[in-house]
Amino acid sequence: MDIVMDAQALNAFLARDFPQVADACSIQAVLPDRLVARWRVDDRHLRPGGTVGGPSIFALADVAIYCAILSRIGPVALAVTTNASVDFMRKPAAGRDLLAECRILKLGRSLAVAEALVFSDGMADPVARCSMTYSIPPKTPQNSAL
Amino acid sequence: MDIVMDAQALNAFLARDFPQVADACSIQAVLPDRLVARWRVDDRHLRPGGTVGGPSIFALADVAIYCAILSRIGPVALAVTTNASVDFMRKPAAGRDLLAECRILKLGRSLAVAEALVFSDGMADPVARCSMTYSIPPKTPQNSAL
Amino acid sequence: MDIVMDAQALNAFLARDFPQVADACSIQAVLPDRLVARWRVDDRHLRPGGTVGGPSIFALADVAIYCAILSRIGPVALAVTTNASVDFMRKPAAGRDLLAECRILKLGRSLAVAEALVFSDGMADPVARCSMTYSIPPKTPQNSAL
Amino acid sequence: MDIVMDAQALNAFLARDFPQVADACSIQAVLPDRLVARWRVDDRHLRPGGTVGGPSIFALADVAIYCAILSRIGPVALAVTTNASVDFMRKPAAGRDLLAECRILKLGRSLAVAEALVFSDGMADPVARCSMTYSIPPKTPQNSAL
C-alpha cells in the first residue's frame, strides 16, 4: 500500500492535533516496510534509577503505530487503539532517547494490526515489544482531520 | 495474604519515590480482595474530543497494579512490569476522573499477576481491562525502599 | 442483555457445528453475569507430568467465551476471535477436569470483549486468566447458523 | 547464542516427550535468527468452512516458540509458558499446512520472550502473530530431559 503521509506530514499532524505528544515524540522516517519514531527522554519520564518507565514506552509505541497506520490511510483522527500487548524485556539505558521501529501486519477495512520494537538509542537489544490493534472508522468528512 | 501497606502508606510511598505519578494518581482504598486508585484527569491527559488517551489509562493501571502488589509484599521499589495486555473498550467520559479496580490473581515468589478494570468515575461500564505481570526481585536491603 | 441461548441450546449447537470440540467441552450453566464451561480432561490433553497443556486451556477459554457471546446474540457461526491474551499462572491439578468461568465485558455491534478464569475442578486458585476479542459479523441469513 | 539442538534433535525430543504434538508438528529448520515449524493440517483441526481453528494456531505457535528456546538452552522439559498474546488476522487457507516463523527476543536466566508469525503454506500474508513468555527453571539433573 502506498505511503500517503511522510514523516514531515505526520509531524505536522501531531503538532496540530496532539501537541502534548508532539512535545516528546517525532517521526524520524517512513520507509516502505516500517516507520521509525523517536521519544525524547526528559526528567518527566524518568523512574527511580534514571530509566524510562513503562507508560512512556507504551505512549511511544502507541504514537508510532498510530502514525504507521496514518502513513497508509491518511489523517483519520478517530482511529482508536482497541487492544495492546506489551512485553517489557530490558531496562532502558539511562539518558538515552527511545526509538520505536514499527511494522504493519494487517491493514483491513475496519481493523489494523501492527507491532513495534522499542530500543534505547544506540543499543542492539530491544527494550520492549508491543503489538496493537486499531479500529478504523469509515472515512467521512466528519472524522477526517484534514 | 495480609495487607502490609494501606492507602495512606502507599500514597506516601508514591509521593516520595514517584512524584510525577503521585501528582495524578492516588490510592483510594486497599480492601481484602481489591485496590481502588483514582487518576485526576487534567488537560495534559486529554486527547482531541476531550477524552483521556490510552497512555493515561495504561499509566493508571500500571500504578494501581504496582500498588496492589506492594500492599501485600511491602515497598519493593524494583518490582518491574514484564508484560501488559490492555483492551480499550469504551471512550472515557469527558471531564471525569478515572478509577481503577485492581485484583491480584497470583502472588508468587518471583512473578505476580493482577488485573484491573478502569472506569470513568460514576459510570457502570468499564473503559478498559488490563492484566499485567510483575517480576519481583528477591527482597534484599539493596532493593527495599524502606 | 437477555439470554437467548441457554446451556442446552449451546451444547446442541456445539455438537452439530463443532463436533471435535463438543467431544471435550460442555457448557454447564449460563447465568445472568457469567457462563461456566467444563473441559473433560483425557489422555490426549496431557503433558509430561500428567497435567493439561496450554493449548487445551486456550481451547477451553476460546469455546467458553464464544458460547458466552452466542448466549446473548444467538448462533452466529462466523464470529471469529481476533485477539487473545492468556496468563498461565499455576499448573493444573493432574486428573481433574478444567472449569472456565466467563464474563462479557463489552458486547458492541462489531466487537465483543470477554474474559475467563480457568480452574482445576475443585480448586480455589485459578490456573489461567484469559481475555479475548471477538469480531461479530453483521447478522444475515448467510451467516446465521439456524 | 549458539544453537545446541538442531531440527533433528528437536523432532526426536518432541516424538519422545510430546507424542500427541509430534503427530501434527515438525520442526523444519533452525536458523541463526529463527526457527521454522510446520503444522500438518488434518480433519481434527478444521472448523466450519474448512479452515484451521484458533486453538491449532495457538498450539503451533506454542510448540515453535518452545523449540526455539530449547534450540538455545537444550532440552529443559519443565520450561512453561507464562503468558501468550495472539492476534488472529486472516482466515487460514483451506487445505494447506500452517508454517510458523519464530524469533527469540530475549533469553534471560529465568524468562524468555519470543514471537512467531504463522502463515498458510505458500501465502505471503500472516494468518496470526503471537508472542509468548516462557519461564525457565534453573537447570538441574531433575528437570533436564536428557
Side-chain angles (χ1 to χ4, degrees):
Chain A
M1 188 171 260
D2 287 344
I3 294 172
V4 299
M5 293 182 81
D6 61 10
Q8 189 181 353
L10 289 166
N11 286 321
F13 173 77
L14 290 179
R16 194 188 59 193
D17 283 21
F18 296 84
Q20 298 104 328
V21 168
D23 189 40
C25 183
S26 64
I27 306 306
Q28 304 280 289
V30 181
L31 306 170
D33 65 339
R34 69 205 145 104
L35 174 147
V36 181
R38 174 182 295 271
W39 189 267
R40 280 180 294 276
V41 171
D42 68 26
D43 285 355
R44 284 177 306 157
H45 311 119
L46 296 185
R47 283 289 175 89
T51 64
V52 182
S56 295
I57 293 170
F58 180 92
L60 166 59
D62 192 31
V63 177
I65 288 174
Y66 182 54
C67 286
I69 295 169
L70 298 195
S71 75
R72 307 293 159 158
I73 67 172
V76 179
L78 297 184
V80 292
T81 314
T82 57
N83 175 265
S85 160
V86 194
D87 291 296
F88 298 99
M89 299 185 287
R90 294 176 182 88
K91 191 189 280 205
R96 286 175 184 261
D97 285 355
L98 293 176
L99 295 176
E101 280 200 20
C102 176
R103 199 157 62 113
I104 295 177
L105 296 176
K106 176 187 173 165
L107 189 53
R109 269 182 316 239
S110 63
L111 290 180
V113 179
E115 62 182 4
L117 286 176
V118 177
F119 300 85
S120 286
D121 193 5
M123 303 294 186
D125 288 325
V127 161
R129 181 213 65 76
C130 185
S131 42
M132 294 196 179
T133 301
Y134 265 77
S135 173
I136 304 171
K139 200 168 183 177
T140 67
Q142 285 79 353
N143 68 32
S144 168
L146 277 183
Chain B
M1 188 172 261
D2 288 344
I3 295 172
V4 298
M5 293 182 81
D6 61 11
Q8 189 180 353
L10 290 166
N11 285 321
F13 173 77
L14 291 179
R16 194 189 59 193
D17 282 21
F18 296 84
Q20 299 104 329
V21 169
D23 189 40
C25 182
S26 64
I27 306 307
Q28 303 280 288
V30 181
L31 304 170
D33 65 338
R34 70 207 144 102
L35 175 146
V36 181
R38 174 181 295 270
W39 189 267
R40 280 180 294 275
V41 171
D42 68 27
D43 285 356
R44 283 177 305 157
H45 312 119
L46 297 184
R47 283 287 175 90
T51 64
V52 181
S56 294
I57 293 169
F58 179 92
L60 166 58
D62 192 31
V63 177
I65 288 174
Y66 182 54
C67 285
I69 295 169
L70 298 195
S71 76
R72 307 292 158 158
I73 65 171
V76 179
L78 296 184
V80 292
T81 315
T82 56
N83 175 265
S85 160
V86 194
D87 291 297
F88 298 98
M89 299 185 287
R90 296 174 181 89
K91 192 189 278 205
R96 288 176 184 260
D97 285 355
L98 293 175
L99 294 177
E101 280 199 20
C102 176
R103 198 156 62 112
I104 294 178
L105 296 175
K106 176 188 174 165
L107 189 52
R109 268 183 315 240
S110 62
L111 290 180
V113 179
E115 61 182 4
L117 286 176
V118 177
F119 300 85
S120 285
D121 193 5
M123 302 297 188
D125 288 326
V127 162
R129 182 212 66 75
C130 185
S131 41
M132 293 196 180
T133 300
Y134 265 77
S135 173
I136 304 171
K139 201 169 183 175
T140 65
Q142 285 79 353
N143 68 33
S144 168
L146 278 181
Chain C
M1 188 171 262
D2 287 343
I3 295 173
V4 299
M5 293 181 83
D6 61 10
Q8 190 180 352
L10 289 166
N11 285 321
F13 173 78
L14 291 179
R16 195 188 57 194
D17 282 22
F18 296 86
Q20 299 104 330
V21 169
D23 188 40
C25 183
S26 65
I27 307 304
Q28 304 280 289
V30 181
L31 306 170
D33 66 337
R34 70 209 144 102
L35 176 145
V36 181
R38 174 181 295 270
W39 189 268
R40 281 180 293 275
V41 171
D42 68 26
D43 284 357
R44 283 177 307 157
H45 310 119
L46 296 184
R47 284 290 175 87
T51 65
V52 181
S56 294
I57 294 170
F58 180 93
L60 166 59
D62 193 30
V63 178
I65 288 174
Y66 182 54
C67 287
I69 295 169
L70 297 195
S71 75
R72 308 292 159 160
I73 66 172
V76 180
L78 297 183
V80 292
T81 314
T82 57
N83 175 266
S85 160
V86 194
D87 291 297
F88 298 99
M89 299 185 288
R90 294 175 183 88
K91 192 189 279 205
R96 288 174 183 263
D97 284 355
L98 292 176
L99 295 176
E101 281 199 20
C102 177
R103 198 157 62 112
I104 294 178
L105 296 175
K106 177 187 174 165
L107 190 51
R109 268 182 316 239
S110 62
L111 290 180
V113 180
E115 61 182 3
L117 285 176
V118 177
F119 300 85
S120 285
D121 193 5
M123 302 296 188
D125 287 326
V127 160
R129 182 213 64 75
C130 184
S131 42
M132 293 196 181
T133 301
Y134 265 76
S135 174
I136 304 170
K139 200 169 183 175
T140 66
Q142 286 78 354
N143 69 33
S144 169
L146 278 183
Chain D
M1 189 172 261
D2 287 344
I3 295 172
V4 298
M5 292 181 82
D6 61 10
Q8 189 180 354
L10 289 166
N11 286 321
F13 173 78
L14 290 179
R16 195 189 58 194
D17 282 20
F18 296 85
Q20 298 105 329
V21 169
D23 188 41
C25 183
S26 64
I27 305 306
Q28 304 281 288
V30 181
L31 306 170
D33 66 338
R34 71 208 144 104
L35 175 146
V36 181
R38 174 181 296 269
W39 188 267
R40 282 180 293 275
V41 171
D42 68 27
D43 285 356
R44 285 176 305 156
H45 311 120
L46 296 185
R47 283 289 175 87
T51 63
V52 182
S56 294
I57 294 170
F58 180 92
L60 167 59
D62 193 30
V63 177
I65 289 175
Y66 182 54
C67 286
I69 295 169
L70 296 195
S71 76
R72 307 293 158 159
I73 67 172
V76 179
L78 298 183
V80 293
T81 314
T82 57
N83 175 266
S85 159
V86 193
D87 291 296
F88 298 99
M89 298 185 290
R90 295 175 181 88
K91 191 189 281 207
R96 286 174 185 262
D97 285 354
L98 293 176
L99 295 176
E101 280 200 20
C102 176
R103 198 156 62 113
I104 294 177
L105 296 175
K106 176 187 174 166
L107 189 52
R109 268 182 316 238
S110 61
L111 291 179
V113 180
E115 61 181 5
L117 285 176
V118 177
F119 300 85
S120 286
D121 193 5
M123 303 294 187
D125 288 325
V127 161
R129 182 214 63 76
C130 185
S131 42
M132 293 197 181
T133 301
Y134 265 77
S135 174
I136 304 171
K139 200 168 184 177
T140 66
Q142 285 80 352
N143 69 32
S144 170
L146 277 184

